[in-house]
Structure formats: structure tokens, C-alpha cells
């Protein structure tokens, strides 16, 4: 029995976005049904190294398939300057639930980007206007690319407005997509006028104000992943149909964490969780829906669901590097 080693290029090649989107929706559905186990994310803080480790295990039963795995991810803020390494790196171990055999060890950084884009696409599909053709993105880092890649699978995106303080990153983004979309640089306010808006920044002071946002804009708030981070003004959140991925994570470290702990925003202001939307327990966009916001913190079940897609595609296409991790192969 062989374990597949899959690097970032392998993950990118085998994370077929339509399949990842379907798998992420299945994961949200399983979680809502109670057919998933997802212990709380655990942290190892290493202030002496200006970093931390995070472990994210999960199991889910989607009905036609089940999957298990764990992502080990870090945030070391001094890595680029001191060690010439990325700030964030992840490793995913994907296991067979029936016998625990490690089917694959794969790059978790690329996997995270793919599943994050897919989660935004699921929310967009249920909450954005059906005829959405414009997408604004605030933050032109690596996450921006999969936001566009995924959302364009569920809506006929034609116009893209990209906003970032780093002009070089904006230029690289435009160059990557100018042959596929009408893409241009703009301010955060201009991006927020689009039919769909994705925010993927680490800011702690909101950059999207109420007067910026179109009356029927759907917002994917993807950037907040720690206490204190806050991209969207409280007035927007309070006016919107507010959908979260997980109550514990979102109130601790999601987009709503700051106004929630201040008492500005309460549980009464939360419309529901994305699992309730995809299972039909609560309606997605209706004619009465104005602004909608999806607060996405990223769940371990998403990593496991996406890892399954990557592994199945890689296994079918003989991609990756098989090796005898456990020393079980016969001589």
C-alpha cells in the first residue's frame, strides 16, 4: 500500500474547481445534518519565534462518500525576512476512514486557497443575484486568484475590479486574467459596487463602508481569521442578511468577532449558517434580500472534502509520488 505525496503543483492540477465546489457544499450539508466531527482548532503559540501552529482535524460523511484528515498549519510572521520562507505553510494528511491508512500527504497551502475560493462560490451561488456579472476583490494576494476562479464557475462574471495598496500585486493580477475578463484596478469603494464582492485582507480597521456597497451586493468576507481582524463596517453587517460558516469560529475570529464582542452585533443579527442555506432549512437570496454577507473562517471539513477531490483525481491520473510511508509493501 502506497501513500501519495502531492506537492503544490499536484494539488493545483488535481483540485478541479467544479468538483471542489460540489465537495465543499456536501461538507456544509453534512455538518448541518450532524454527519461530521470537527474538534475545535487547537493552537500552539510560539512567541519566541513570532509564530504559532494550528491543527485542524475533521471527519465527514457526505452520504455517497466519507473522508477524514488533519491539516497542520502555521503562521510565522518573520519567516519571509529571516528565513526566506512563506508566512503561512500547511500540510494535509488525508486518511482512509475505514482503516486509518494515510492515503496522501499533500501541500495544505494550495489546498487552502482552493477550498477557500470554493466556499465563497457556494455562498455566492446561494446568496448573489442570479444575473451577477461583476466581481470586486479587495486584496490582490494569492487568495484573490482562487476567489475569481471559483466564483466565475457559479456566475457569468465578465467585469472584475481589483483593489490593493500594492500596485505591483494589482498589475500581476490584471496580467493573469486580462485575457479572460474585463479586469481593472479600482478603489475598495468601486469594488464594493459590483454584484459580488470578496474581501481577502488582514486589516483590523474596516475598509468597506456602508455608502460603498451596492444595494444588492453579495459580500464574501474571507480575510478575518483571528481576533481583532475586521474588514467590513458594522453598519454593513447590521444591514445585511448575515450568513456565517460556524458560530464558534466566527464569533471568535471571523468578520463578526469585533462587533460581536463589543455587543454591537448579536445573535439576533445573524440570519443563519451556510449549512442551513445549502440544506434548504433557510432560504438563500429572495426578492426581498438586499445586501448579503458570508462570514467565512474556513472549516476543517472543507480541507478534508477538498483533499478527497485532490486525492481521487491524482490517484485516477497517476499523479504525485507514491511511497511506502509505513513500510508495508512486500519485498
Amino acid at each position: 500500500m502506497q501513500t501519495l505525496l502531492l506537492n503544490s503543483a499536484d494539488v493545483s492540477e488535481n483540485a478541479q474547481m467544479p468538483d471542489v465546489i460540489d465537495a465543499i457544499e456536501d461538507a456544509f450539508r453534512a455538518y448541518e445534518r450532524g454527519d461530521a466531527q470537527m474538534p475545535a482548532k487547537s493552537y500552539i503559540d510560539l512567541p519566541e519565534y513570532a509564530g504559532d501552529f494550528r491543527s485542524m482535524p475533521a471527519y465527514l460523511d457526505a452520504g455517497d462518500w466519507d473522508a477524514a484528515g488533519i491539516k497542520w498549519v502555521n503562521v510565522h510572521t518573520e519567516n519571509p525576512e529571516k528565513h526566506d520562507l512563506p508566512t503561512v505553510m500547511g500540510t494535509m494528511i488525508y486518511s482512509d476512514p475505514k482503516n486509518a491508512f494515510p492515503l496522501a500527504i499533500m501541500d495544505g497551502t494550495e489546498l487552502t486557497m482552493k477550498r477557500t475560493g470554493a466556499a465563497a462560490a457556494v455562498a455566492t451561488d446561494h446568496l448573489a443575484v442570479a444575473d451577477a456579472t461583476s466581481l470586486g476583490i479587495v486584496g490582490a494576494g494569492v487568495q484573490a486568484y482562487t476567489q475569481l476562479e471559483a466564483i466565475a464557475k457559479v456566475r457569468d462574471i465578465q467585469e472584475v475590479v481589483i483593489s490593493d495598496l500594492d500596485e505591483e500585486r494589482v498589475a500581476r493580477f490584471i496580467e493573469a486574467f486580462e485575457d479572460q475578463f474585463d479586469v481593472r484596478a479600482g478603489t475598495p469603494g468601486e469594488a464594493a459596487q459590483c454584484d459580488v464582492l470578496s474581501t481577502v485582507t488582514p486589516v483590523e480597521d474596516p475598509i468597506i463602508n456602508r455608502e460603498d456597497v451596492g444595494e444588492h451586493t453579495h459580500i464574501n468576507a474571507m480575510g478575518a481569521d483571528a481576533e481583532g481582524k475586521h474588514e467590513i463596517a458594522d453598519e454593513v453587517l447590521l444591514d445585511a442578511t448575515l450568513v456565517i460558516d460556524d458560530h464558534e469560529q466566527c464569533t471568535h475570529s471571523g468578520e463578526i468577532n469585533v462587533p460581536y464582542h463589543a455587543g454591537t452585533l448579536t445573535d439576533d443579527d445573524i440570519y443563519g449558517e451556510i449549512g442551513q442555506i445549502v440544506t434548504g432549512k433557510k432560504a438563500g437570496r429572495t426578492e426581498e434580500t438586499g445586501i448579503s454577507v458570508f462570514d467565512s473562517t474556513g472549516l476543517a471539513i472543507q480541507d478534508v472534502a477538498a483533499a478527497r477531490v485532490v486525492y481521487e483525481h491524482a490517484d485516477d491520473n497517476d499523479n504525485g509520488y507514491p511511497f511506502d510511508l509505513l513500510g508495508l509493501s512486500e519485498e
Side-chain angles (χ1 to χ4, degrees):
M1 299 178 72
Q2 301 283 299
T3 300
L4 270 184
L5 182 64
L6 301 164
N7 63 22
S8 60
D10 296 322
V11 172
S12 180
E13 179 180 353
N14 290 285
Q16 300 295 311
M17 189 56 80
D19 294 337
V20 177
I21 293 170
D22 288 344
I24 298 303
E25 184 159 358
D26 285 343
F28 287 141
R29 192 175 290 114
Y31 190 45
E32 176 62 26
R33 291 196 311 259
D35 293 332
Q37 298 180 50
M38 189 177 67
K41 184 188 302 184
S42 62
Y43 291 80
I44 297 175
D45 290 316
L46 300 170
E48 64 269 35
Y49 299 118
D52 64 58
F53 287 108
R54 309 168 188 195
S55 63
M56 300 174 64
Y59 164 79
L60 67 98
D61 181 353
D64 294 335
W65 54 270
D66 63 351
I70 182 169
K71 186 171 74 174
W72 178 245
V73 63
N74 77 292
V75 178
H76 280 60
T77 57
E78 296 178 353
N79 264 4
E81 180 181 351
K82 287 190 173 182
H83 305 290
D84 196 27
L85 287 170
T87 300
V88 179
M89 296 176 284
T91 302
M92 184 77 192
I93 302 173
Y94 175 66
S95 301
D96 189 333
K98 70 177 179 290
N99 57 23
F101 185 81
L103 297 169
I105 299 173
M106 66 183 73
D107 171 56
T109 306
E110 182 71 22
L111 187 78
T112 300
M113 290 189 291
K114 294 289 188 178
R115 62 82 153 152
T116 303
V122 171
T124 299
D125 201 24
H126 287 273
L127 293 167
V129 293
D131 59 351
T133 58
S134 60
L135 171 64
I137 304 175
V138 181
V142 292
Q143 292 281 4
Y145 292 74
T146 51
Q147 289 293 304
L148 177 50
E149 177 190 359
I151 290 169
K153 299 296 184 187
V154 299
R155 289 294 185 272
D156 182 21
I157 299 300
Q158 298 173 23
E159 178 188 0
V160 180
V161 179
I162 181 72
S163 181
D164 196 293
L165 294 175
D166 188 326
E167 294 182 0
E168 290 185 3
R169 294 207 301 184
V170 169
R172 286 195 297 270
F173 184 91
I174 292 173
E175 184 179 5
F177 291 107
E178 60 187 353
D179 291 339
Q180 304 171 57
F181 305 96
D182 176 11
V183 55
R184 64 178 176 86
T187 66
E190 289 171 327
Q193 286 293 311
C194 294
D195 299 321
V196 182
L197 170 67
S198 287
T199 56
V200 282
T201 75
V203 300
E204 296 187 357
D205 294 317
I207 50 176
I208 301 299
N209 299 311
R210 180 62 185 87
E211 60 269 21
D212 295 331
V213 182
E215 290 305 309
H216 298 283
T217 297
H218 167 67
I219 302 171
N220 297 302
M222 315 300 287
D225 61 355
E227 288 184 86
K229 291 188 177 181
H230 193 19
E231 299 181 290
I232 314 297
D234 295 347
E235 293 79 9
V236 179
L237 299 175
L238 291 169
D239 277 357
T241 297
L242 179 58
V243 178
I244 61 178
D245 61 7
D246 177 76
H247 187 275
E248 182 177 355
Q249 285 195 189
C250 287
T251 55
H252 176 267
S253 56
E255 178 57 38
I256 66 172
N257 84 90
V258 174
Y260 190 87
H261 288 292
T264 304
L265 183 150
T266 70
D267 288 342
D268 290 339
D269 299 306
I270 300 171
Y271 176 69
E273 295 192 0
I274 188 67
Q276 296 174 300
I277 305 293
V278 302
T279 56
K281 292 181 180 179
K282 292 201 169 184
R285 177 164 289 271
T286 67
E287 291 184 0
E288 288 74 36
T289 306
I291 300 168
S292 56
V293 173
F294 173 51
D295 181 358
S296 173
T297 56
L299 307 180
I301 53 170
Q302 296 169 224
D303 296 310
V304 170
R308 177 185 177 273
V309 172
V310 171
Y311 171 75
E312 294 293 338
H313 276 280
D315 190 48
D316 288 345
N317 294 289
D318 295 324
N319 296 145
Y321 310 89
F323 66 112
D324 186 14
L325 177 66
L326 302 184
L328 300 176
S329 297
E330 297 180 359
E331 295 293 338

